[in-house]
Structures are given as structure tokens and as C-alpha cells.
Amino acid sequence: MTVLTSVVAPPVPNPVDLLFHTAGRLASHAEAVPAVGVVLHLTGDTPDLTRLRERVARRLHRLPCLTHVLTTDDGPPRWTPRAPDLAEHVTERRVPPGPGRLDDTVRELLHRPLPTATPAWRLVVLSGHATGGYCLALIAHHEVQDAANLVTVVEILLGRDDDTPATAVAALDGGPVAEPEPWRLLDAAAFIWRNTRPHGLWNDPARPLSGRRHVLWREVPTALLRDTGRAYGATANDVHLAALAHAVGDWAGTHRPDARLDPLPVMLPVNLRTPAETGLPGNRFFLARLDLPGGPMTPARRLARTVPATAPLKAAAYRRALHRMTAQEPLAYGQLIAASAAPDRLTAVCSSFRIGGRLSHEGDPVDRVVPVICCPDGFPLTAALFLYGETSTVSFQLDRSLPGAEEIPGLWRRAVDDMATCAPETVPGGTP
């Protein structure tokens, strides 16, 4: 079942797209290939595969990210239309029963090579792991889709048959981006460039990263994150960032004392996508460097200090300055990406995404949305939070060369609970 519909022509690949393209080709191990995904947990009977393929086919005209490949071998880099073969791209997989077998299956899908001659994505129906439930697992190469655009794909594939727009991932409104005042633009630009300075925390030749990955998940009540953030005048993303900084600090205190820095450098994707860009192939974000409070302190104190540290990234002038640079100053943007991606600048990546409303497939409700984040070579670990429904999930990828790194997800959850316990007002839902 090969389908190629009339779709909007995407712009040329940007420096981030090319960075992920190269990272995939030169990955030291299959586990370091930059593949990302999302696993939807649904209640209901396993769907008919033919009907699911037909559903995808009806929506491809709205999703150029599913109908293009990044071409670099013959001429300048470009997005080339390529027909997906839905018999190969939309498949099913029986999961053996037993604890942990679903997670093992998702890990195997993540590390399985994606198509190269056709668009680099795969949608797999997973069943057999639970009575009365199944999963839809979408895996894609990061060169074609960032995590925010995965949300768009999910919204459109599981949405109504009409062209109701998907809006959850649009960071900027549909009108012209207002030009910031010159002094604000200069301040934002100085902040951006200042935070590309080297730190050399994770590229010590005596302790090289391996390219092998622990792939782990941690669940948390959505209300716990939001209520804790509200109690501190913070956001759920602030809670996530502070908890990761605290977890890395706790881990480093035992296993890597030189990484218990204050401040602790962390990278945070800043979404720059407009409504007109939803569904287009490629990446529409900037991986910003942020210095978070490190060193010994309580989780509550760390969250209180994280709020002012993240304030510059929340400012409208900062996002406008980034958007102007990416849209109007490609040379400066390319230089900025190159500086940010130098081995002595790379560090832990912490991201969060929100899926508004409730999703369903042919009446089957989506109960949980589980992210699958990537961790390319040079990065020590990544942690992506997807906020959805009553239970949100963090996807962790951790370099296997870091001793005891698999402890970090548990330390993250403990930090969230400690913040809730010590909040200025009572926050229900924390672990005693």
C-alpha cells in the first residue's frame, strides 16, 4: 500500500536537521542513533491493521514529515518527496506476556534501523501484553521529526477526519513575529551566545562516553507536578528541571564528584514552531544552555533557585530573538548550532511537552502517553517529560559508561516527592 499525496513543500533542511542526519550516519552504536518516539497506551480491542493503514493514508496530506526524506548525496541538502509504503510503515507486533516485556519490545523497536530509501518512521501496533488494551508505538528519526512534531502527528492521526488544526505544539502564533526592541534583542543575543561557552564536564578523554544506553521510564501523577510547581510559583517544567539537576547532583556525590558543579549546565529545547509549520519535516527548536543550581542543597531550595534561572528562556524577547536568528540570519544560526554542539559544550538534556485534551482511536481512549527520547553521541543523558492525562511519564536515556546511572530516574522521582512534601502549601499525591 504505497501512498503519495499532494503535500505542502517544506523549506530546506536547517542546521539542526543536518546535525541529526550526521549523528545518525556516524553513530558509534545503534543505541546512539537519534530516533525518537511516543507510545500510546489504549484501552480496547486490538485495531484492524487494514483500517489503521487507511486512516493513516487519509491524513498523510497534512503530515509532510511522513512523506519526505532528507537527501544529501546528490546536490545541496533538501527534503525530497518519497512515497511511504504503509504495508511496511504500519505494522503489528505481538508482545510476549510478562513483566517488563513491553518495555523490552519498545527498546528493540527504538534501536531497529528505520527505512532510509523511504520516510524514516514506523507505526507499530503492540498487543498481547495486557488484557483489554494495546499500544500504538510511533518511532521516527530525529532529522525528520522533533518530539514536539510527534505530538502533532499523534493529534492528527487520532483526530477527526476533517482538517481540524493541531495546536498543542505551536510555540508562536500565526501572525508575524513582533520585532523586539533593540536593547532586548541585544540582551537576548548576549545571553544565547554567553551560554555556548565550554565547560568540558562530559568529554574527559580518561572517562569517555560509550554510546551505549540505558533506556528507562518513570511515571508521576500529573497533578503532583502541576500542584508542586504552583506552590513554588513555578511550572511543571521547572519542577522537572530542578528534579533532574537534583538527581544528577545526588548521583554525582556518590559516583562522579567532579560533576557536582554549581552551576550545573543543562540543555533545554526551546520550541520555535509556528502553526504554519506543524507537520512539516525537520526540527523547529533551539537547544539552549541553561545553568541550574548545583551542589548540595535540599530539593525545595533547588526548585526555588531554578525558577529565576529559567526566567530568561520564558521571556518573549528571548524566543523572538531566536526566531529571528533562525529565520533571517542563517549564517549566525549555523555558527550558533556548531558552537553549541562542540564536544566540550554538550551536557544533559531536559525537555517537557504537553498534550492537551484527550486522545482516542476509534473510540478507544488513550490512557497514557509514553515518550521515547534519544541520546546521540556526546550527550551523557537525556530526560523528556510528556504531560498527559492523570499520569505523566519521563523517558530517560543514560550513557552506560556512567557508573550507577540507572539510579538517576529513581532519584528524580524522589526529588519531586521531596519538593511536594516541603512545599509552602500542601501538595497531595507525593510518595510518603
Side-chain angles (χ1 to χ4, degrees), residues 367-422:
D367 302 313
R368 287 192 295 132
V369 177
V370 177
V372 185
I373 198 63
C374 71
C375 189
D377 281 312
F379 291 93
L381 64 100
T382 56
L385 165 68
F386 268 38
L387 294 158
Y388 174 79
E390 296 179 358
T391 302
S392 295
T393 307
V394 183
S395 166
F396 292 90
Q397 287 215 31
L398 309 122
D399 195 281
R400 288 180 179 269
S401 71
L402 304 177
E406 63 273 22
E407 302 167 8
I408 290 176
L411 295 171
W412 177 92
R413 178 59 201 269
R414 187 186 306 169
V416 171
D417 289 330
D418 286 348
M419 293 171 195
T421 301
C422 300

Side-chain angles (χ1 to χ4, degrees), residues 37-115:
V38 62
V39 181
L40 309 178
H41 291 244
L42 298 95
T43 297
D45 297 329
T46 305
D48 178 77
L49 197 59
T50 299
R51 289 178 60 184
L52 178 60
R53 287 169 178 157
E54 291 171 349
R55 185 184 185 93
V56 173
R58 290 195 303 270
R59 289 159 169 76
L60 283 179
H61 70 284
R62 300 177 58 191
L63 295 168
C65 57
L66 302 185
T67 61
H68 284 75
V69 297
L70 200 165
T71 305
T72 60
D73 295 334
D74 181 20
R78 63 200 179 279
W79 294 112
T80 302
R82 198 67 55 83
D85 182 351
L86 296 188
E88 297 293 332
H89 283 79
V90 182
T91 62
E92 57 186 346
R93 175 82 170 269
R94 190 77 178 171
V95 179
R101 298 305 294 271
L102 176 61
D103 286 351
D104 288 342
T105 301
V106 172
R107 293 184 186 100
E108 190 275 327
L109 288 175
L110 178 66
H111 299 144
R112 179 181 164 196
L114 288 163

